[in-house]
Amino acid sequence: MIKNIAIFASGRGTNFAAIVTAVSRKLLNARIAVLVCDNPEAPVIKKAGRFGIKTLLVAREDFTTRGDFEAQIIQALKKEKISLIVLAGFMRILSPSFVRRYKNRIINIHPSLLPSFKGGHAIKEAFGYGAKLTGVTVHFVDEQVDHGPIILQEPIRITAADTLRSLEDKIHSLEHTLYPKAIQLLLHGKLKLSGRKVKNS
């Protein structure tokens, strides 16, 4: 049975495009039911249009409270019968009540080997720190930022020849393969959450 996913994004949408491509190549057996975007200027909206994917644009400033903002999103997710929420560069922190509503059904991708280098500048911080190893983490979302049980991680070595730009390119390339793989494993019962650990089923 093909399951419906919602992708939340606020920017360029490179991970969004990678997931769409994985679906089109039958590497990911899912239906992208809706893109949820909070930024009217985000390039990801045009990408969704080219792919023929429905977009829900919810600019935060159009709502009096965060509760109203999230209620609009929840209504759309219910309508589309969403099985999994995929955060792909969504620049809003979801409220604890939203996260609890969709417990173990929201995942995120982060450009480091969590718990190292949390936050919005992980690649730059790892490079500036002089780390020899970084990578990409896919994890369940909980009520803390860049936290929650880890689903998949893959390392990347930082070499003496790397620049910040080359490291960014390597990280993003890995993201584009690791995220669809994690989604496929989750949707089709290959991974199970036990306590705070994710195990192969």
Side-chain angles (χ1 to χ4, degrees), residues 67-85:
D68 292 339
F69 167 75
E70 291 184 344
Q72 183 76 14
I73 297 172
I74 290 167
Q75 183 178 355
L77 299 180
K78 286 181 177 178
K79 182 179 179 182
E80 298 296 338
K81 298 180 173 58
I82 297 300
S83 296
L84 185 69
I85 296 168

Side-chain angles (χ1 to χ4, degrees), residues 125-198:
E125 288 177 3
F127 185 79
Y129 183 77
K132 301 301 182 186
L133 201 67
T134 186
V136 173
T137 302
V138 181
H139 65 98
F140 284 106
V141 172
D142 64 12
E143 295 170 25
Q144 300 179 51
V145 176
D146 295 332
H147 192 262
I150 292 169
I151 299 164
L152 290 179
Q153 278 187 320
E154 193 163 322
I156 285 178
R157 191 164 298 281
I158 304 175
T159 71
D162 272 318
T163 63
L164 178 58
R165 177 61 182 273
S166 71
L167 179 59
E168 288 173 342
D169 289 344
K170 288 197 293 188
I171 290 281
H172 295 322
S173 179
L174 177 56
E175 286 180 340
H176 298 163
T177 58
L178 196 66
Y179 217 3
K181 180 181 177 181
I183 296 166
Q184 178 74 358
L185 289 171
L186 282 169
L187 287 180
H188 299 285
K190 303 300 183 183
L191 297 174
K192 298 292 184 184
L193 184 60
S194 177
R196 292 192 50 79
K197 295 183 182 295
V198 179

Side-chain angles (χ1 to χ4, degrees), residues 14-36:
T14 59
N15 273 307
F16 170 82
I19 295 166
V20 174
T21 299
V23 171
S24 69
R25 292 178 179 173
K26 302 189 185 307
L27 300 173
L28 174 54
N29 186 27
R31 172 178 173 262
I32 304 170
V34 63
L35 165 71
V36 176

